[in-house]
Amino acid sequence: ELDLYWEKFLRETGRDPEDRCAGDLTFEAKGFAGDEMVSLVLNGQKTAFFSSFATFQIDGEPLPISGELYTVLDRNGDPACVIEITDVHVIPFNDVTWGMAQKEGEDENLEQWRLKKQENLEDEGAILGFEFTPDIKLVFQVFRVVYRSPENL
């Protein structure tokens, strides 16, 4: 089904048939139920996300680059839209500004964002084997929706 969705995206947007999907993404966060996170992406409230730099290192994954395309999946694993990464920065946790955090579309202020993100990073670090520090490196990825399923228009 994902391959068919990708082919439909390429055909309907007139993109090069050789364009490749860099991967699939699911957005989940504590306090958000069902497909609320996907809704934030589709309505333009969520235009960025942060990942721990350590995760890329531990997994041996290259950092994303501007121009990469990803299929966003809903909680059922069905494609909801395609996003294009427009900007990627590596930034220490304690240097994140409210303007950056606001692009995630989830929090009311920077303090709330920091508390939630620290908790997420501590949980992730406990699983993957890294420790949270105030200057831990984050990968800040800004994106735009370039295609959405007809039922998500």
Side-chain angles (χ1 to χ4, degrees):
E1 181 187 346
L2 292 179
D3 289 341
L4 292 174
Y5 186 82
W6 186 257
E7 289 168 15
K8 185 177 178 188
F9 156 67
L10 293 176
R11 191 173 53 253
E12 290 183 8
T13 58
R15 288 188 176 254
D16 185 335
E18 298 301 310
D19 280 354
R20 295 286 165 248
C21 181
D24 306 326
L25 295 174
T26 54
F27 291 110
E28 294 184 20
K30 291 179 184 172
F32 288 84
D35 286 322
E36 287 180 285
M37 295 296 288
V38 171
S39 295
L40 294 178
V41 171
L42 292 171
N43 72 23
Q45 190 174 336
K46 181 176 187 64
T47 59
F49 61 98
F50 292 86
S51 306
S52 67
F53 182 77
T55 300
F56 287 96
Q57 289 182 307
I58 291 166
D59 291 345
E61 293 285 329
L63 290 178
I65 57 173
S66 184
E68 285 184 334
L69 299 164
Y70 291 85
T71 303
V72 175
L73 306 179
D74 64 19
R75 288 183 90 97
N76 295 324
D78 297 322
C81 65
V82 175
I83 61 170
E84 178 180 14
I85 302 296
T86 59
D87 219 352
V88 180
H89 298 282
V90 176
I91 183 167
F93 175 85
N94 52 6
D95 287 352
V96 172
T97 65
W98 173 232
M100 296 169 86
Q102 213 169 6
K103 290 178 187 259
E104 275 201 313
E106 301 169 35
D107 301 297
E108 299 293 321
N109 54 55
L110 186 58
E111 183 180 329
Q112 183 184 44
W113 179 88
R114 285 186 196 270
L115 288 170
K116 282 173 55 180
K117 191 58 67 180
Q118 179 174 340
E119 185 180 331
N120 292 345
L121 289 165
E122 288 171 345
D123 290 349
E124 186 179 347
I127 294 166
L128 296 177
F130 65 85
E131 220 172 283
F132 174 83
T133 61
D135 62 350
I136 191 170
K137 289 181 185 176
L138 300 179
V139 181
F140 178 55
Q141 301 173 64
V142 181
F143 64 85
R144 66 187 180 103
V145 175
V146 293
Y147 179 76
R148 58 183 69 218
S149 303
E151 59 272 14
N152 289 323
L153 291 176

